[in-house]
Amino acid sequence: MTTLRPFTCDDLFRFNRVNLDPLTETYGLPFYMQYLARWPEYFQVAESPSGEIMGYIMGKAEGRVAQEEWHGHVTALTVAPEYRRLGLAAQMMSSLEQISENKNCYFVDLFVRVSNMVAVDMYKKLGYSIYRTVLEYYSGDPDEDAYDMRKALSADVKKKSIIPLPHPVRPEDIE
Amino acid sequence: MAGRGHVDVSERRLRPIYDALDASNNKKAIQEADKVLRKQKDLICAKALKAIALLRSSRRQEALLLAAEVASQEPIEEATLQALTICYREMERGDLVARIYENAVKKVPQSEEFLSHLFMAYVRLGEYKKQQQTGMALYKVVPKNPYYFWSVMSIVMQALTTEDEKLSQKMFLPLAERMVEKMAKDMKIEAEAEVRLYLMILEKQKKYEEALEVVVGPLGSKLISEIELQSLKQAELYVQLEDWPKANAKYRKLLLTNPDNWLWYIHYFNSLFHLVNSGWTPSEADEGSSTDVITGTVDMAIAFVEERVEDELKNGKRLQRGPFLARMELLKRLTERGNQEAADKIGSPSDLLKEYFGKFGDKPSCFMDMRPYLTMMKLDDHAKFVEELQTYLEIPKKGGELSLPSDVKSMQRHICCVGLARSLGLQEHLTERDELIQDLMRRHQHGLQFGKDLLPTDVQPSDSYLLMTVHIKYAVYLKTQERSLLFEMIVMLEKGVACSPSNAQYKLILIKLYILLGAFQPCKKLYDNMEIKHIQQDTLGHFYSCYAVALGHLTSACSILSAMLKFFSANHKDTTEYIIAAYKYGSFHKIPEIISFRERLNLSHNYSALAVERMLLDFIMETTNPEQMRELLDFMEISPEKDEIKWDLLKDNRDMTVLSSWEPKERELTDQQIEQSFCQDKQWLRLRSLILRSLAAVILMSQPAPLDGEHSLDKQDASKNGESQVGDGNTLLSLILEINAHVQDVECQPSSGNMYLLCGPVPTRMKVYLDGQHHILLTSIFQVAVDVHSLETSDLNQSQELQEQISRNFDCILKTLEYVLDSMDTPIATPGSPPQVYPQVLQGLVLLVETLCLMALVTSQCQVMLKPLKATLTKKKKKKKNPTTIVPQVFNDYKMFVDSLVQFGEKLHKCLMEVNTVITGVDVSTLEIGPVLEHAEKDAISVETVWKKVKDSYQISVGEMSEVLKQKLQFLRTIRL
């Protein structure tokens, strides 16, 4: 039971249950503001019947159309521990894909820690495949690699965008 | 071509200055700028860059002058304008940025670039009227749609911000509407953003019909960025228009596309009951049409919801909760309306709840989903209900007792069951409470195996057992106030953290419990470990931040307070940039939202409270003589005569929903309790802010001459504006009266009987403060300052009355001090068997040290005022050579007072030292705490290790208190007249 609606500034005052999860980063205000000001439709929150925030998704559309690189990107996707295993992440992903379809994006992509098997498996179930590995994308001790996972949208008729790259790339090589 | 060459030369010459600035080598940047200016006097860009370098070398005044010189030449070169913009922005003088672009636009009125810079400069300042004009000017120069709509949005902002509702409705909004209408008529509307702005304008005027026309008309097809936006807008407008049949049909249709959307169900039910109330009946025509069906009778709605449930059961995918919860919601609403007949058609509450539990009991959210519907059941049915739930558990029973679950899903169902029982109040009068606790602890331990493959960043699924145990114990603590329970809970939770290091619930409760024991030190690690930062400091800081001061961890307090204040002070700049971005990207509907967000942070109670505490702390820690105090005061922006806090607008941004709770109704946190606690927080802040302003008034009274600097110049300006002179003592006098009146107000209010709920807010220090007579001590010393100041203007020999009043106040202070210290004769702990701990003693000591420090500071300011009097007297004496002149009593009294204050401080210092001795003697091994289940590998955590943390924390408190006290005593001893 979910109300999926656009994230508003005031939700920042109430997203603690979600953000106290150690893998959910709390960013400085500019980060959220940038998304709210530029891609407000891509920042959605899932609310419970009692008005609690269950999770949210942040994303954007970017890339050049001419090169068929115009795509939706998932910047963050998170669900509070007590609202997991309800299919919320899938709902939010599907909403982001729909929005990207409406914008004629070629594909949707996202980065995920290679160690986060639960998430990798979930994205695979949602139709995503590993496009490439990005070395030491997550800084930490030690740094961790990321998978760049992609799902082609209907604009990419021949599914060219998801043909896996044979070699891993460095973070500085990705656009 | 010659011009181009000139530019290149200048650019080449300026390069070293840019490089030095980029490398943060400001000294070099100044040198390079001077070098260039020697060669080419008229290269004003070099001056602008030099101004930046000066500013960054803390030479603000020079920078301001130099920038003004450049600005006065009304430059139009891009580089110079850019440099000036940077300089002024770093000075936080956005108004001056607007001025330079105004001048540039005057010179080159057709410049798109200058005009758009000017527009953004006005956005930064929130000058909506000027934004509107500049946007229009831009559109005239370059007829691009965004510029036109910038101007329209600027009109809307005027409508939203004016206090004159009439002006908003009769002038601004209609004007904005006409402007958009014109574009619509000319078929010039291009973007979705423009349509949304149009809708915003119409909706603000409640022109819902017109808005609906837009939505369903050709412009409506542009609404595509959000899913179903066009349909949703339509449905919302039907609700606004109270067109219930259409709203009903629309939300019904939406629910067919997504039967899990809660908001749509709510609107659907609302429309339904409006229709029912109006006696709506289906007509033949309605029945025929396919998609826009109205389901305006209870029976139709029941059928619709049952269909959603059926469909959900049929579709074979993972079950969504929506239809099942919606059915319970409909039942609840029918029951509340007294329509039992219809309610019965859906089923009995307990059957529905049981069915829900059967389907979703293994989800962690099940308890929270079911809780709102528990009230549908009769009180007598509760026990039976929970009993019956057990049949769904899939956990075998052994000898009538439930044995342990075999998988995580069964365990989750059991956890939900226990939670429901607690929430229904079934655990309240339990005779076997200890058995329950034992059982839950055993289950927690057992359940850890289900999470052994989880990452350390995951929460263990059996953690809820431990949390529920803590809640049960805490409820007992509320009744008995037995401190051994605090130790017990802490040991349990510390072990919990060792097994489930990512559980924030554990850590937040631990912080609360440690604070109850008066121990701040362990909280630091817990808090840092949760990586609470940025906006969370505003919403979660209440768990933590104020206790550093309250428990005497002053060094920590300084760094915590500054880190938090940094967040707030950056807010304005941070958010303003994105208001500009919202204009650029046409996210007009976000602009008012971001602006009110900025306001909400700016008006946060926390922000004001942190700032006041920080300033008090700075005086206490950083100043040891009157000159330093004056310097510090100039640096802070405190005006004693003006209350800067907007009391009526302060926002409570604390997040009170972060802790889970299974508590029954009587211990559930209510909005009223939160409001009450916010009120108390504001009362406390008012007292603290009055004290701070009084202290500032004392300083300004004894040292009225401002120090050099821009800030003091501003102050002079302010006092020219007809505000009362602080120097005359009246300001302080009225502040004293205000403190007294405020304290009286607070004391008159009935004590709130607010329970100290685990999930609820914590009371302020007000009670400890008033019990400790600190307000009396401070107002008395402030009064002394006022009277001493009056001595300056009166003849010393004629001011007997004044001097006696001073003497009386000295007496009062000393007697109060003795009384307070005597009444605090309980030691912080008694080492007996079992030992007792009295953490409230620490809070009292901390306040006493603070008050003594503040009194020492005020006393030193009195010396500044008395000294010239004494000097004059001595001179007179020498002149007249009249040995019979009596030395006025006040000098002697003052000296005696200072001596007594020092003696008292020494006594207080001894008390602090005694704390150290007492706590070392405590042996907690005899503390009777309930058996805590052994975690073989976590044996390292025990009541002894917890006590050690608490003890270490006390020692830090005492150490820091005695340090600051010693420093002030040292300073008092040097005071001579």
Side-chain angles (χ1 to χ4, degrees):
Chain A
M1 173 58 72
T2 313
T3 301
L4 205 58
R5 57 163 180 80
F7 193 100
T8 67
C9 291
D10 275 351
D11 291 322
L12 294 169
F13 289 103
R14 312 189 300 126
F15 67 1
N16 288 317
R17 269 177 176 264
V18 180
N19 275 44
L20 283 171
D21 170 75
L23 288 185
T24 305
E25 177 75 14
T26 301
Y27 298 99
L29 291 183
F31 190 74
Y32 300 109
M33 293 290 137
Q34 178 196 351
Y35 279 82
L36 287 168
R38 187 160 176 189
W39 302 282
E41 66 278 7
Y42 265 117
F43 199 166
Q44 298 264 329
V45 59
E47 205 172 48
S48 79
S50 56
E52 225 178 276
I53 292 182
M54 302 190 285
Y56 57 84
I57 190 165
M58 279 174 96
K60 59 182 170 182
E62 60 185 6
R64 279 162 296 185
V65 179
Q67 276 87 352
E68 302 195 353
E69 281 167 358
W70 172 245
H71 68 281
H73 174 74
V74 184
T75 304
L77 170 65
T78 174
V79 174
E82 49 276 58
Y83 292 104
R84 290 184 189 161
R85 303 200 298 121
L86 294 168
L88 278 183
Q91 261 192 49
M92 290 192 281
M93 285 297 288
S94 130
S95 134
L96 186 135
E97 286 160 18
Q98 189 60 49
I99 291 165
S100 305
E101 283 282 4
N102 290 353
K103 291 186 194 293
N104 290 317
C105 290
Y106 290 92
F107 60 91
V108 171
D109 75 350
L110 55 91
F111 295 99
V112 59
R113 287 176 189 272
V114 294
S115 66
N116 194 349
M117 283 317 292
V118 179
V120 173
D121 284 346
M122 179 195 75
Y123 290 127
K124 280 185 180 163
K125 263 186 214 146
L126 297 177
Y128 288 75
S129 54
I130 296 169
Y131 169 68
R132 60 185 168 184
T133 304
V134 187
L135 298 171
E136 294 170 352
Y137 179 78
Y138 294 101
S139 43
D141 186 25
D143 290 350
E144 191 178 347
D145 298 350
Y147 288 135
D148 177 355
M149 296 184 80
R150 287 186 175 186
K151 178 176 180 174
L153 297 180
S154 42
D156 181 11
V157 184
K158 291 182 182 153
K159 311 243 177 278
K160 283 191 289 191
S161 62
I162 58 166
I163 301 168
L165 293 192
H167 303 294
V169 294
R170 308 270 334 154
E172 53 271 24
D173 299 330
I174 53 177
E175 288 191 17
Chain B
M1 282 323 269
R4 180 77 214 145
H6 175 71
V7 169
D8 284 345
V9 171
S10 310
E11 221 177 75
R12 204 184 60 232
R13 285 187 176 157
L14 293 172
R15 180 58 32 213
I17 317 179
Y18 282 113
D19 291 343
L21 281 173
D22 284 346
S24 313
N25 190 343
N26 298 318
K27 202 172 151 195
K28 180 141 189 272
I30 295 170
Q31 286 167 355
E32 291 291 345
D34 286 337
K35 213 154 79 186
V36 173
L37 287 168
R38 273 196 296 275
K39 274 189 211 143
Q40 196 181 339
K41 262 190 205 144
D42 58 342
L43 190 54
I44 52 172
C45 186
K47 283 190 189 171
L49 292 171
K50 185 181 166 184
I52 298 176
L54 286 169
L55 180 68
R56 292 181 184 169
S57 328
S58 309
R59 291 158 71 179
R60 187 183 164 95
Q61 206 60 25
E62 288 168 72
L64 201 63
L65 287 172
L66 191 60
E69 188 192 322
V70 178
S72 71
Q73 300 191 28
E74 304 183 354
I76 52 166
E77 306 83 11
E78 201 188 315
T80 311
L81 286 168
Q82 250 175 24
L84 271 185
T85 303
I86 292 171
C87 186
Y88 283 144
R89 230 181 257 158
E90 284 182 18
M91 286 179 183
E92 292 177 33
R93 292 297 302 265
D95 54 328
L96 298 177
V97 177
R99 292 303 91 76
I100 56 173
Y101 280 106
E102 278 164 7
N103 288 329
V105 163
K106 255 183 230 151
K107 280 190 177 166
V108 196
Q110 301 295 309
S111 164
E112 181 182 8
E113 196 196 320
F114 291 168
L115 279 166
S116 60
H117 276 299
L118 184 57
F119 182 85
M120 295 311 174
Y122 288 141
V123 172
R124 282 204 169 78
L125 297 170
E127 297 227 28
Y128 304 124
K129 176 87 194 160
K130 288 181 175 167
Q131 273 174 228
Q132 176 197 339
Q133 293 158 345
T134 313
M136 233 23 208
L138 258 170
Y139 184 68
K140 278 183 188 141
V141 173
V142 195
K144 291 184 196 160
N145 264 20
Y147 294 151
Y148 189 87
F149 285 92
W150 284 5
S151 186
V152 176
M153 185 64 208
S154 306
I155 301 173
V156 174
M157 285 315 300
Q158 292 175 67
L160 295 182
T161 49
T162 175
E163 279 167 18
D164 186 349
E165 183 59 19
K166 235 179 166 175
L167 208 58
S168 167
Q169 290 293 332
K170 292 267 150 62
M171 195 178 97
F172 292 126
L173 291 169
L175 174 61
E177 185 186 339
R178 277 199 305 277
M179 283 180 70
V180 184
E181 236 169 25
K182 186 173 174 299
M183 293 297 266
K185 264 189 204 132
D186 298 350
M187 309 291 276
K188 278 190 189 160
I189 290 192
E190 293 163 359
E192 177 176 355
E194 296 158 12
V195 181
R196 293 190 78 164
L197 180 54
Y198 194 8
L199 291 176
M200 194 203 299
I201 293 165
L202 292 170
E203 285 172 39
K204 293 274 179 226
Q205 298 178 85
K206 300 197 165 57
K207 292 187 171 177
Y208 302 119
E209 287 287 358
E210 291 85 340
L212 195 59
E213 268 170 47
V214 174
V215 173
V216 297
L219 288 178
S221 59
K222 290 187 189 294
L223 299 171
I224 51 154
S225 64
E226 289 166 33
I227 299 166
E228 300 278 11
L229 186 56
Q230 199 178 3
S231 293
L232 276 174
K233 270 276 158 213
Q234 225 175 312
E236 274 170 40
L237 288 165
Y238 288 138
V239 171
Q240 292 294 353
L241 285 165
E242 303 186 10
D243 186 343
W244 303 119
K246 287 203 172 122
N248 182 277
K250 199 81 205 172
Y251 280 111
R252 179 187 166 278
K253 205 171 152 186
L254 280 166
L255 282 169
L256 289 174
T257 67
N258 177 3
D260 195 46
N261 191 304
W262 183 250
L263 192 66
W264 297 350
Y265 278 113
I266 295 300
H267 281 304
Y268 173 73
F269 291 143
N270 288 346
S271 70
L272 165 73
F273 290 114
H274 277 290
L275 288 171
V276 172
N277 290 347
S278 66
W280 182 88
T281 49
S283 69
E284 305 255 327
D286 294 321
E287 307 226 337
S289 63
S290 54
T291 49
D292 287 337
V293 180
I294 304 163
T295 43
T297 66
V298 169
D299 283 341
M300 291 170 97
I302 293 177
F304 175 69
V305 173
E306 293 288 1
E307 264 170 49
R308 299 288 70 69
V309 171
E310 294 298 315
D311 283 359
E312 191 60 34
L313 289 170
K314 265 188 285 185
N315 82 7
K317 289 190 215 147
R318 187 206 313 249
L319 280 186
Q320 294 190 309
R321 301 171 295 158
F324 303 92
L325 281 172
R327 191 165 57 171
M328 290 201 277
E329 177 72 21
L330 183 56
L331 178 65
K332 190 178 173 201
R333 289 188 180 214
L334 287 169
T335 318
E336 279 165 3
R337 289 169 62 92
N339 190 346
Q340 201 49 49
E341 195 193 328
D344 289 342
K345 286 184 193 160
I346 301 180
S348 84
S350 65
D351 284 347
L352 249 54
L353 283 162
K354 272 182 277 178
E355 189 187 336
Y356 191 85
F357 180 78
K359 294 201 162 56
F360 300 100
D362 60 337
K363 310 285 184 197
S365 70
C366 190
F367 169 75
M368 284 175 280
D369 292 341
M370 287 171 75
R371 184 161 56 179
Y373 303 107
L374 296 175
T375 50
M376 290 195 292
M377 289 188 296
K378 292 193 198 80
L379 199 64
D380 301 342
D381 296 342
H382 290 175
K384 196 171 147 237
F385 169 70
V386 174
E387 184 64 29
E388 282 170 357
L389 285 189
Q390 314 253 333
T391 55
Y392 292 82
L393 288 183
E394 297 166 19
I395 301 174
K397 280 189 179 185
K398 264 189 217 152
E401 287 280 304
L402 279 178
S403 64
L404 297 164
S406 56
D407 61 12
V408 67
K409 286 190 174 183
S410 316
M411 179 179 76
Q412 202 61 59
R413 284 192 196 97
H414 183 255
I415 288 173
C416 182
C417 247
V418 182
L420 290 169
R422 178 147 192 86
S423 168
L424 287 167
L426 298 175
Q427 295 176 356
E428 290 307 285
H429 307 290
L430 220 54
T431 42
E432 319 84 37
R433 192 191 293 118
D434 291 341
E435 284 86 337
L436 175 65
I437 289 173
Q438 286 306 306
D439 184 49
L440 293 179
M441 292 300 289
R442 186 167 56 111
R443 288 175 184 280
H444 169 244
Q445 173 89 350
H446 173 259
L448 287 173
Q449 62 176 302
F450 301 130
K452 64 177 188 300
D453 294 332
L454 292 175
L455 297 170
T457 46
D458 284 314
V459 170
Q460 286 290 327
S462 71
D463 283 355
S464 297
Y465 282 127
L466 184 61
L467 284 171
M468 286 196 273
T469 319
V470 170
H471 277 269
I472 296 170
K473 287 213 179 269
Y474 190 84
V476 179
Y477 169 75
L478 273 186
K479 278 193 200 137
T480 62
Q481 296 291 314
E482 254 179 78
R483 292 226 170 64
S484 61
L485 282 169
L486 294 178
F487 282 100
E488 203 173 314
M489 287 185 273
I490 291 177
V491 173
M492 285 164 66
L493 286 165
E494 289 276 15
K495 290 195 177 193
V497 171
C499 301
S500 184
S502 296
N503 192 322
Q505 298 277 327
Y506 285 171
K507 293 174 199 171
L508 289 170
I509 298 176
L510 270 172
I511 289 179
K512 285 208 137 185
L513 299 176
Y514 274 121
I515 298 287
L516 278 176
L517 277 180
F520 182 76
Q521 190 63 11
C523 304
K524 258 170 73 178
K525 204 174 145 204
L526 289 161
Y527 193 85
D528 291 345
N529 187 276
M530 284 185 283
E531 290 192 66
I532 290 174
K533 53 192 172 190
H534 307 303
I535 194 164
Q536 290 179 312
Q537 301 188 101
D538 194 18
T539 54
L540 295 178
H542 64 96
F543 275 92
Y544 172 72
S545 61
C546 63
Y547 303 105
V549 176
L551 296 171
H553 287 236
L554 303 186
T555 319
S556 295
C558 283
S559 59
I560 291 167
L561 295 184
S562 12
M564 294 180 88
L565 284 168
K566 219 184 247 165
F567 163 74
F568 284 107
S569 53
N571 155 45
H572 196 271
K573 215 171 78 198
D574 284 352
T575 42
T576 305
E577 285 311 310
Y578 296 97
I579 297 170
I580 291 175
Y583 276 102
K584 280 191 188 151
Y585 296 110
S587 309
F588 297 121
H589 62 293
K590 285 285 172 187
I591 292 172
E593 186 187 308
I594 298 177
I595 291 176
S596 48
F597 172 74
R598 184 175 67 187
E599 274 304 283
R600 184 169 168 189
L601 279 179
N602 227 3
L603 291 168
S604 169
H605 168 273
N606 288 334
Y607 188 14
S608 294
L610 293 166
V612 168
E613 288 300 337
R614 174 72 219 231
M615 289 190 267
L616 282 171
L617 194 61
D618 276 344
F619 275 113
I620 290 166
M621 297 205 35
E622 306 294 338
T623 60
T624 44
N625 64 55
E627 293 73 37
Q628 277 178 349
M629 290 172 72
R630 178 66 220 227
E631 262 169 48
L632 190 60
L633 181 68
D634 279 344
F635 178 73
M636 297 168 175
E637 282 167 27
I638 317 170
S639 71
E641 67 277 20
K642 202 170 146 242
D643 192 350
E644 304 276 3
I645 300 174
K646 295 176 182 138
W647 296 98
D648 297 335
L649 299 175
L650 284 189
K651 301 275 184 227
D652 183 1
N653 291 341
R654 297 173 299 175
D655 182 357
M656 290 289 171
T657 63
V658 72
L659 287 178
S660 301
S661 165
W662 298 266
E663 295 303 280
K665 230 181 167 57
E666 60 268 26
R667 278 197 307 277
E668 234 174 67
L669 185 63
T670 63
D671 289 345
Q672 199 198 348
Q673 284 167 327
I674 296 176
E675 210 176 295
Q676 213 169 32
S677 109
F678 186 52
C679 239
Q680 289 165 358
D681 280 3
K682 282 198 281 190
Q683 285 174 342
W684 174 245
L685 172 59
R686 193 186 283 272
L687 181 63
R688 300 292 277 177
S689 130
L690 283 169
I691 290 166
L692 177 66
R693 284 166 60 205
S694 303
L695 185 65
V698 172
I699 301 169
L700 289 175
M701 204 169 63
S702 81
Q703 296 163 275
L707 300 177
D708 291 338
E710 200 189 347
H711 173 58
S712 42
L713 287 176
D714 287 351
K715 267 213 176 127
Q716 275 184 324
D717 287 345
S719 55
K720 267 183 223 152
N721 297 338
E723 284 172 31
S724 73
Q725 286 288 321
V726 184
D728 66 5
N730 281 339
T731 307
L732 183 52
L733 211 49
S734 61
L735 282 167
I736 296 171
L737 290 175
E738 236 183 292
I739 295 177
N740 288 334
H742 180 56
V743 168
Q744 218 164 25
D745 270 359
V746 173
E747 280 177 332
C748 281
Q749 277 158 14
S751 69
S752 63
N754 229 347
M755 269 197 298
Y756 197 168
L757 296 174
L758 191 54
C759 299
V762 179
T764 65
R765 289 192 281 166
M766 186 68 94
K767 192 176 178 309
V768 192
Y769 199 87
L770 299 186
D771 287 351
Q773 317 267 312
H774 299 276
H775 57 297
I776 296 175
L777 290 168
L778 286 174
T779 47
S780 307
I781 195 79
F782 291 145
Q783 185 62 51
V784 167
V786 174
D787 293 341
V788 166
H789 181 256
S790 305
L791 284 178
E792 281 185 334
T793 47
S794 52
D795 184 344
L796 264 183
N797 291 320
Q798 311 273 297
S799 57
Q800 212 47 42
E801 217 172 294
L802 213 49
Q803 294 191 39
E804 270 163 28
Q805 186 169 310
I806 293 172
S807 159
R808 272 199 306 275
N809 271 314
F810 281 152
D811 262 7
C812 162
I813 291 169
L814 294 173
K815 280 197 186 114
T816 312
L817 280 175
E818 289 303 330
Y819 164 79
V820 174
L821 201 62
D822 281 350
S823 62
M824 285 179 31
D825 59 350
T826 334
I828 193 160
T830 49
S833 176
Q836 287 290 331
V837 187
Y838 305 96
Q840 66 275 25
V841 171
L842 186 61
Q843 275 204 17
L845 283 171
V846 169
L847 279 178
L848 206 50
V849 171
E850 182 198 280
T851 302
L852 198 70
C853 288
L854 291 175
M855 288 203 297
L857 294 176
V858 177
T859 307
S860 77
Q861 295 290 345
C862 291
Q863 181 244 14
V864 173
M865 294 185 278
L866 280 172
K867 208 163 182 177
L869 295 185
K870 179 115 190 247
T872 327
L873 195 75
T874 329
K875 252 189 232 161
K876 270 188 196 161
K877 245 203 279 186
K878 276 185 188 158
K879 257 190 199 162
K880 286 188 181 170
K881 296 193 176 156
N882 185 357
T884 56
T885 310
I886 324 146
V887 179
Q889 171 200 349
V890 67
F891 297 121
N892 204 29
D893 286 347
Y894 179 80
K895 190 179 172 304
M896 300 270 285
F897 176 70
V898 172
D899 291 345
S900 313
L901 214 51
V902 171
Q903 278 166 22
F904 177 79
E906 283 160 354
K907 246 195 220 171
L908 182 57
H909 190 255
K910 227 174 90 193
C911 286
L912 288 170
M913 292 299 106
E914 268 164 28
V915 170
N916 265 341
T917 329
V918 168
I919 53 177
T920 346
V922 173
D923 173 16
V924 285
S925 62
T926 55
L927 202 63
E928 282 172 34
I929 74 165
V932 177
L933 254 141
E934 295 309 316
H935 294 227
E937 71 276 31
K938 311 298 173 206
D939 270 351
I941 299 161
S942 65
V943 70
E944 281 87 358
T945 57
V946 168
W947 170 244
K948 185 172 181 314
K949 283 189 188 180
V950 172
K951 197 168 70 174
D952 289 351
S953 181
Y954 287 169
Q955 271 164 350
I956 294 176
S957 305
V958 167
E960 295 214 18
M961 288 291 98
S962 88
E963 211 41 52
V964 66
L965 182 61
K966 269 200 295 203
Q967 178 208 44
K968 289 289 175 299
L969 290 181
Q970 194 65 33
F971 154 53
L972 274 179
R973 286 191 196 100
T974 62
I975 290 182
R976 296 268 182 280
L977 274 181

